[in-house]
Amino acid sequence: METFESLFYNNVKLFALILVLFSAGVLIYNWRRRWLYYYASKIPGPFALPLLGSFHLVSEGPHGVHKFLKNLFTDYPSTLKVWLGPELYVSTTEPEYLKLLLTRFLDKGNFYHLMTGYFQRALAAAPVKLWKKNRKNINPTFNITLINSFVDIFSKHAKVFTEKFKDGCGKETDDIYPSVWECTLDAGCETLADVSPSIIKTQQYLSGVFRIEEILMKRFFHPLLHFDIFWNLSPLKKELNKLWKQNCSCMQKMIDLMEVPKTTQDNDNEDVSTKKRFLTHLIDLNHKQEVPHDYVLEESQIMFFVGTETSAVVLSSTLLVLGMYPDLQKKIDEELYSIFGDSDRDPSLEDVNQMQYLERVIKETMRLLPPIPFVMRSVDENVHLGPYVFPKDARVIIPIAMVHRRPEFWPDPEKFDPDRFLPEEAEKRPVCSYIPFSYGVRNCIGYKYGLLSMKIILSTFLRSYRIKSSNYKSIQDMDLFIHVVAKPKNGYKIVIEKKQK
């Protein structure tokens, strides 16, 4: 039998061995990252604690991200760094640097990798090699000719949306955003899939989407949940899996409906544009065994809820802005009257193309309130940017919201001025000083689709109503939180007045 002294001595030796091995592991880990630390030391940024980095600066989580980015670029130069845990994040608002980063580096990095298991194949998060293949597959479904064929569908759903408010004029709405999102989702069902929106329980679906985004952001801002061992034990993962399965069942229902065999007559009468619609095209690729079924589900989830949600955010934000600045509405009214007169006819493509001032208002809204306030990239080699080196394995934050407020390119940047987007003004600014849809080959595939839908929905609504006020006096009053997309914490409340014919 071992004596107490021998047990104690053996345990001390074991502890010492573990300590030596751990210390050796830490030394090897840091030695391999020595150039990361070296180049990072040359870039300005906030104080970082060992292991935790500057996570204390984002303790508010999704509700403090916008303020965090704003404070960073107020306190530090246009190129900076921040440590979040052991990960180095570098960022810049210099357009020439952004152009290089967004053109050369297409991998989206750790933020999107945390979504693995949900969006691992979809355009938003796929590894570069897979993304290239999928983007090539999907490009035909967003060509301009096909998008322009959706004018009548967008108009139909714009009228349904407009009709909802005929009995609520003069009263503050609870929050216009859910109704706007329902409109963009319903239009998406017909344009992207050629199915009736009635097959989706819209409110249940949208609340599920909102919670999925909330959980994903909670994971990102909780350092321990970055590790799969802790994430797999978290009740958040169980909830996310349940919600994901629930929303996938909606997509599957839509796919099943579209796969019902058509009669010969139906096939003969089927428009070419219908065959090339987003989900129809993906189902066809799946039948040809060019893409797996799980990919069809993942890509559909992203396109149907993130795609329609970003449009809904911009539309809701624009209505808020019109409530803050009545002079904008007057100019929009004049433009719409010059196009339609007293007619209540549906807009044509030619009409939409004449809505130049309305388009400038939408673009200025996206400048100050971009629905996606930042995107990420990962660099796989050292990148020399002026006096700095963004080191290999660093994560890059592209701070869209901060780029859009650079006074060098946007004089009096907090002022809402649609005329910044007059052609002669736009020509003065460098490439990548305005990037609401990102930039380069990995930009937003649906930006033309979104802009067309927004112009039709807004023009239809504003021909019937006037926005009298909103729950904000200025854009600076809006406190934003970020659940994948950025929204104001206090919602989108406006007062609507019926126009007199």
Side-chain angles (χ1 to χ4, degrees), residues 13 20 22 50 70 83 105 178 189 249 342-343 345 362 403 421 437 472-473 491:
K13 286 198 298 184
V20 168
F22 176 77
K70 187 174 183 179
W83 288 94
F105 300 100
C189 286
S249 68
D342 293 321
S343 169
R345 64 179 174 80
I362 294 170
V403 176
F421 292 94
F437 304 106
Y472 308 98
K473 298 298 182 184

Side-chain angles (χ1 to χ4, degrees), residues 318-336:
T318 304
L319 291 173
L320 278 183
V321 165
L322 295 180
M324 298 175 201
Y325 308 113
D327 288 348
L328 300 177
Q329 284 189 83
K330 184 178 180 181
K331 292 182 179 180
I332 292 174
D333 287 345
E334 290 170 355
E335 179 175 78
L336 294 178

Side-chain angles (χ1 to χ4, degrees), residues 254-281:
M254 191 178 293
I255 292 168
D256 291 343
L257 183 65
M258 293 177 68
E259 288 185 321
V260 173
K262 297 185 177 182
T263 66
T264 303
Q265 184 177 357
D266 288 334
N267 286 323
D268 289 341
N269 293 333
E270 189 175 21
D271 194 284
V272 173
S273 66
T274 301
K275 295 178 182 179
K276 280 296 181 183
R277 289 185 190 180
F278 170 76
L279 190 51
T280 312
H281 185 58

